[in-house]
Amino acid sequence: KMVDPTLAEMGKNLNEAMKMLEDNQRKVEEENEKKYARKDIPGPLQGSGQDMVSILQLVQNLMHGEEEEETSQAYRLQNVGEQGHMALLGHSLAAYISVLDRERLRKLTTRILSDTTLWLCRLFRYENGSAYYHEDDREGLLKICRLVIHTRYEDYTVEGFNVLYTKQPVIYISSAARTGLGQALCNQLGLPLSCMCRVPCNTMFGSQHQMDVALLDRLIKDDVESGKLPLLLVANAGTPGAGHTDKLGRLKELCEQYNMWLHVEGVNLATLALGYVSSSVMAATKCDSMTLTLGSWLGLPAVPAVTLYRHEDPSLSLAAGLTSSQPVEKLRALPLWLSLQYLGHDGIVERIKHASQLSQRLLENLKNLDFIKTSVEDELSSPVVVFKFFREYSNRDQTSRAAQASTIQHPIISNERHIYDTFNQWLGEQLAQLVPASGVDVVELEDEGTCVRFSPLMTSAVLGTEIQDVDQLVDCLKMKIPVLTSTLQLREEFEQEVRRTVGLLHIEDLSWPGLGVVRYNYHSDGKNDDKQEKELEKINTELLKKLNELESDLTFSLGPEFGGQKNCIYIGMVTEDLDVSELVETIAATGREIEENSRLLENMTEVVRRGIQEAQLQLQKANEERLLEEGLLRQIPVVGSVLNWFSPFQASPKGRTFNLTAGSLESTESTYVSKAQGTGTTPPPTPTSSLAKQRLPGQKIFKRSLRSSDAFSETSSVSHCDDLEKMDQRPPALSPGQEQGPLETERTEEQQEVAQATKTDTEDIQNDKSPRDCTKVEEQESQR
């Protein structure tokens, strides 16, 4: 086949450019290193220009950067693929086609636009529809609003805002819609915020994320009675948070009753391409317009979003901006036109079907997990899975907690929800970090709090999510659930132990995902606040360092970078075998040790200073006494030497030593008499934990043996305390961890017989009785 040389060259250049940009292992030449050493500082243009290789190398450096990890780079480049190259080629072709002559350009753009619109309408079951292609996914709804304004206000083209002032339009939007959508529409349309009406979701019946149809009916009636004009309703086929679908059938009937326009958007619209579609989503095919985001659904980069709509008057569509007379603007559909042809009908359906299967696979596994609560509207066809960690309580616990909540105005319930939100935030971050290909994220829902969301329709095509990634996600979730339950159970015990321990202060921080927060408070002695704060910071910093040096599975930190308490120790997630009492006592004992060492050093500094002053006074006094003993003549240089030669002066040496422990000056006479320096008093012992116990081989600190084990029956199970008592009763000749064999058992019995015989003979001798025959005893001793 004959191919335009320019098109062939364009495809070749694009292929080479993409290979160069995606080659993460390319080594930068020394010239380029020198040339782009100051790449962050913009410089002047090169006078002679640069070749394409150098420019693409610069683009690669700006794209990848030096600090980007290879793993995230691999995920980003893995799924661009050939279908992504087709979309990128569409942008290059659009620039090339725009230079054609006007008539040829008009024919080409008309063909591209009509083909793409026909394929999309058939694919998503939207008959007799027109299409508007736009970069911003909110722009399609904005153009639809202008179309409805032109339709409902006949004189709007001439009168403008005057006709809106006489009869104010009202746009109804769900409270579960994406944040900022209503305000963005009002700003772009030039309407006041009073024209936007947020419709609450169901609070008593049905899903908590579906629009309340009965309340919407009352709101519309009130607006009509007050002289306003109900204009448009924005419904959801898959809310941004939980993926729930509004009752589109009833909403369509209500819109027809009040002559309103119904616009639908959401991720669940992708399921219209499948063979089986739920009735709730199928009702979207009867709406007046819908917005499709094919780029994220199919993993196509830089393709526009599409708004399908039905309207009979093309002049009003032109006035609203939904159609354009400029052929160049119609080229927006070119990347999508190329990508749809490359994937084909089966390829598109297969990608959407694969995403739905991933969500169903995860949902089936979540049903078998304890402490996991799902929030799914239609379990048979829901493409979005939202779940959270939640611990169900027994009937007795629920009754007691309800009684407490009724008497103290629900602080326990509010604190508990805050704690669950914190734990689910941590769970979502951990799962996203451990299984990045899953694409899970954390979402805040108004009625359910913080949840983890899995929306493969929005992420699987881009990240390349497979079935094994979902299985890995479930395995990671199974590992995290015991940690969450153990930490939740031990939080209250930890708080009680800290409050009972002198010197420790429990800090209530509901936003910390862990065991709790503790602060060591030293004993104040009337110092000013600034000095106390500095000493408190020093002690807790040293305490944190000591705790991290221990061989334990716990994580100790200073808390979050922003919003955390100062001078506190944050303890992370724990397991069920944690000994909370030992942990708290160790923290208190280590804090006391650091405080006493700090006080000892401070006191020692003061004692040494006073000792030096006292030593100077005693030395001065000793010199005066020496002058009195020796006489004045001995102090004269020449006379003193002659006098000392004829009559030497015998003086006993008098020295002083400074005792750091006692903090006083002492005489050295005892040292000269005994010819050895005394050690002084024994320093006070270092405070240690009173709960220090003997550990089993390989057992880490702060660990306790579980009370029961599945491997042993109730009759044969032995507690950890009984094991320690038996270990204490073993003969001292056995080393720790060494078992007592048959030979050692016989030797022990022989030793007991020898000891008993020796004891009997000793008693006989003491009682002046005839001694027994000791031959047997001597033989046993010789054998031993």
Side-chain angles (χ1 to χ4, degrees):
K1 298 180 181 179
M2 298 298 296
V3 181
D4 189 348
T6 306
L7 293 178
E9 184 69 18
M10 183 184 304
K12 180 181 178 181
N13 292 338
L14 178 64
N15 190 24
E16 293 178 356
M18 291 304 300
K19 286 183 178 180
M20 185 175 298
L21 292 177
E22 293 177 357
D23 186 8
N24 199 25
Q25 305 296 332
R26 179 182 295 272
K27 297 182 179 179
V28 183
E29 300 178 0
E30 296 181 359
E31 310 162 4
N32 294 334
E33 288 182 357
K34 296 179 181 179
K35 185 180 300 183
Y36 303 119
R38 302 173 63 187
K39 58 184 180 181
D40 295 335
I41 304 176
L45 287 174
Q46 299 294 331
S48 58
Q50 302 181 40
D51 56 357
M52 187 181 68
V53 176
S54 300
I55 297 175
L56 291 178
Q57 186 64 56
L58 174 60
V59 175
Q60 178 185 358
N61 295 338
L62 296 176
M63 287 171 54
H64 301 329
E66 299 178 356
E67 300 179 356
E68 187 172 3
E69 298 180 357
E70 295 181 0
T71 55
S72 60
Q73 179 68 20
Y75 273 115
R76 189 185 62 80
L77 296 178
Q78 177 182 357
N79 301 283
V80 172
E82 295 185 4
Q83 74 277 4
H85 290 182
M86 294 299 296
L88 300 177
L89 179 62
H91 292 275
S92 301
L93 286 176
Y96 172 69
I97 293 175
S98 63
V99 300
L100 298 177
D101 61 273
R102 189 173 184 83
E103 183 62 23
R104 187 172 301 179
L105 177 61
R106 184 186 62 81
K107 293 181 179 180
L108 181 59
T109 54
T110 302
R111 172 66 184 274
I112 293 174
L113 194 63
S114 60
D115 287 351
T116 309
T117 303
L118 178 62
W119 296 337
L120 292 177
C121 289
R122 290 181 176 178
L123 188 63
F124 294 97
R125 307 170 187 263
Y126 197 80
E127 300 178 357
N128 301 325
S130 302
Y132 172 67
Y133 303 90
H134 46 92
E135 302 297 334
D136 188 356
D137 54 359
R138 297 176 300 182
E139 187 179 354
L141 178 57
L142 175 64
K143 301 292 186 181
I144 291 296
C145 291
R146 290 179 176 172
L147 174 63
V148 179
I149 291 176
H150 279 86
T151 304
R152 299 297 302 276
Y153 294 92
E154 298 180 357
D155 298 333
Y156 179 76
T157 306
V158 180
E159 299 294 334
F161 71 92
N162 290 327
V163 295
L164 302 179
Y165 180 77
T166 57
K167 199 169 188 179
Q168 181 177 341
V170 182
I171 300 175
Y172 302 90
I173 187 172
S174 173
S175 59
R178 46 182 166 169
T179 306
L181 179 60
Q183 184 176 3
L185 291 177
C186 290
N187 292 338
Q188 294 296 324
L189 295 172
L191 299 176
L193 292 178
S194 58
C195 294
M196 189 62 55
C197 178
R198 295 182 63 87
V199 183
C201 295
N202 291 336
T203 55
M204 296 184 62
F205 303 101
S207 172
Q208 299 295 324
H209 304 276
Q210 290 181 335
M211 194 182 304
D212 193 337
V213 182
L215 180 58
L216 173 63
D217 190 8
R218 291 196 299 268
L219 291 175
I220 296 176
K221 289 180 179 179
D222 294 341
D223 291 334
V224 172
E225 292 175 358
S226 60
K228 298 181 180 180
L229 178 63
L231 194 67
L232 180 139
L233 172 63
V234 182
N236 291 306
T239 55
H244 289 243
T245 302
D246 291 326
K247 300 178 180 65
L248 300 180
R250 295 184 58 188
L251 292 178
K252 178 58 179 176
E253 296 175 358
L254 194 63
C255 290
E256 292 178 351
Q257 178 182 352
Y258 292 98
N259 194 19
M260 293 173 56
W261 186 284
L262 177 61
H263 178 83
V264 181
E265 59 181 20
V267 65
N268 291 357
L269 292 176
T271 59
L272 290 172
L274 301 179
Y276 169 78
V277 185
S278 62
S279 59
S280 59
V281 180
M282 182 63 74
T285 58
K286 304 300 181 181
C287 65
D288 298 300
S289 61
M290 65 170 64
T291 298
L292 310 175
T293 55
L294 297 170
S296 57
W297 298 348
L298 305 178
L300 303 175
V303 297
V306 184
T307 296
L308 302 179
Y309 65 97
R310 297 189 185 97
H311 199 265
E312 299 177 355
D313 193 346
S315 61
L316 295 182
S317 300
L318 180 63
L322 289 170
T323 58
S324 175
S325 59
Q326 299 296 327
V328 178
E329 294 187 8
K330 298 180 181 180
L331 290 174
R332 291 180 181 176
L334 181 58
L336 192 56
W337 183 74
L338 294 174
S339 301
L340 293 179
Q341 290 188 91
Y342 181 83
L343 291 174
H345 182 274
D346 295 339
I348 297 172
V349 174
E350 183 61 29
R351 291 203 171 205
I352 299 176
K353 182 179 179 181
H354 174 69
S356 300
Q357 291 174 348
L358 292 176
S359 62
Q360 292 299 315
R361 179 66 172 260
L362 178 62
L363 186 59
E364 292 175 359
N365 288 303
L366 292 180
K367 291 179 181 179
N368 301 324
L369 295 181
D370 296 331
F371 308 112
I372 294 297
K373 178 182 177 182
T374 58
S375 175
V376 181
E377 176 190 3
D378 188 359
E379 295 185 356
L380 298 177
S381 60
S382 175
V384 181
V385 179
V386 177
F387 61 93
K388 63 181 296 186
F389 166 75
F390 185 77
R391 182 174 174 228
E392 297 287 350
Y393 292 93
S394 61
N395 295 332
R396 179 192 300 178
D397 295 337
Q398 291 179 356
T399 305
S400 61
R401 295 171 70 85
Q404 292 177 354
S406 61
T407 56
I408 54 181
Q409 298 180 356
H410 304 279
I412 293 181
I413 302 301
S414 60
N415 290 347
E416 178 182 318
R417 175 169 178 174
H418 201 162
I419 292 174
Y420 275 113
D421 290 346
T422 301
F423 277 38
N424 283 284
Q425 177 79 25
W426 177 85
L427 177 62
E429 293 174 355
Q430 289 291 313
L431 294 178
Q433 182 179 0
L434 294 174
V435 193
S438 63
V440 296
D441 59 347
V442 180
V443 60
E444 296 286 343
L445 301 181
E446 183 177 357
D447 56 333
E448 298 182 5
T450 304
C451 299
V452 183
R453 178 178 59 187
F454 178 66
S455 181
L457 275 174
M458 299 297 293
T459 59
S460 63
V462 178
L463 298 178
T465 311
E466 298 294 340
I467 294 293
Q468 55 267 24
D469 297 322
V470 176
D471 296 338
Q472 183 182 359
L473 180 67
V474 175
D475 294 338
C476 294
L477 186 59
K478 291 180 180 179
M479 292 189 300
K480 296 300 179 182
I481 289 177
V483 177
L484 291 169
T485 54
S486 303
T487 306
L488 186 64
Q489 292 175 355
L490 295 176
R491 277 178 70 99
E492 185 176 354
E493 181 181 352
F494 174 76
E495 180 179 354
Q496 294 176 358
E497 288 290 340
V498 171
R499 295 187 185 279
R500 286 195 297 260
T501 305
V502 179
L504 296 183
L505 178 64
H506 183 268
I507 305 299
E508 186 72 22
D509 191 350
L510 300 178
S511 61
W512 172 248
L515 183 64
V517 186
V518 64
R519 174 188 295 163
Y520 181 81
N521 281 343
Y522 70 98
H523 303 288
S524 176
D525 50 1
K527 300 178 182 178
N528 54 28
D529 295 339
D530 295 339
K531 191 172 184 180
Q532 284 184 4
E533 190 71 19
K534 291 181 180 179
E535 292 185 0
L536 184 64
E537 180 180 0
K538 181 179 179 182
I539 292 176
N540 282 278
T541 302
E542 185 67 20
L543 177 59
L544 176 63
K545 181 180 178 182
K546 293 287 186 181
L547 293 175
N548 283 324
E549 291 175 356
L550 299 177
E551 295 182 359
S552 66
D553 295 333
L554 302 182
T555 56
F556 303 94
S557 64
L558 293 175
E561 183 178 359
F562 303 102
Q565 297 286 338
K566 293 180 61 178
N567 304 328
C568 293
I569 297 176
Y570 287 75
I571 306 175
M573 293 288 176
V574 298
T575 54
E576 60 179 349
D577 57 351
L578 174 69
D579 194 335
V580 178
S581 301
E582 182 184 0
L583 170 63
V584 174
E585 182 62 25
T586 302
I587 295 175
T590 308
R592 288 194 297 269
E593 178 183 354
I594 297 173
E595 180 185 359
E596 292 184 6
N597 291 338
S598 176
R599 289 177 179 271
L600 179 61
L601 181 60
E602 182 180 354
N603 295 336
M604 187 179 298
T605 304
E606 183 65 20
V607 168
V608 170
R609 186 182 63 82
R610 294 179 181 178
I612 293 174
Q613 295 178 356
E614 184 179 354
Q616 291 177 349
L617 294 176
Q618 292 190 11
L619 287 175
Q620 183 178 359
K621 185 178 180 180
N623 289 333
E624 294 176 356
E625 293 178 355
R626 186 170 59 85
L627 287 176
L628 294 177
E629 291 179 1
E630 296 179 359
L632 184 60
L633 293 177
R634 293 183 183 274
Q635 308 305 321
I636 302 175
V638 179
V639 177
S641 300
V642 176
L643 185 60
N644 289 332
W645 184 73
F646 283 105
S647 176
F649 180 79
Q650 299 294 332
S652 61
K654 295 181 180 181
R656 297 289 186 272
T657 179
F658 184 72
N659 191 340
L660 289 176
T661 304
S664 61
L665 287 173
E666 300 177 357
S667 176
T668 58
E669 293 181 3
S670 60
T671 304
Y672 289 104
V673 172
S674 61
K675 305 298 183 182
Q677 187 174 359
T679 57
T681 60
T682 303
T686 302
T688 56
S689 174
S690 62
L691 296 179
K693 59 183 180 181
Q694 186 176 2
R695 301 186 179 280
L696 297 176
Q699 183 179 3
K700 292 188 177 182
I701 192 173
F702 308 138
K703 295 292 183 181
R704 62 183 176 187
S705 298
L706 297 180
R707 298 179 180 177
S708 61
S709 176
D710 297 335
F712 299 96
S713 62
E714 296 181 358
T715 57
S716 62
S717 61
V718 182
S719 65
H720 179 54
C721 298
D722 296 337
D723 293 339
L724 295 181
E725 292 178 0
K726 291 183 178 180
M727 292 175 63
D728 294 338
Q729 294 175 359
R730 290 179 180 177
L734 294 178
S735 58
Q738 181 181 359
E739 297 183 357
Q740 187 175 12
L743 182 59
E744 285 76 3
T745 305
E746 295 177 0
R747 290 180 180 177
T748 304
E749 294 177 355
E750 292 177 1
Q751 292 173 1
Q752 293 177 357
E753 294 178 359
V754 173
Q756 183 67 26
T758 306
K759 179 179 179 182
T760 305
D761 293 339
T762 305
E763 293 177 352
D764 293 342
I765 294 173
Q766 292 177 352
N767 296 330
D768 296 333
K769 295 181 180 180
S770 59
R772 299 177 56 186
D773 187 10
C774 297
T775 306
K776 181 179 179 180
V777 177
E778 292 175 356
E779 291 177 357
Q780 291 178 350
E781 289 182 353
S782 63
Q783 290 177 3
R784 182 168 56 86

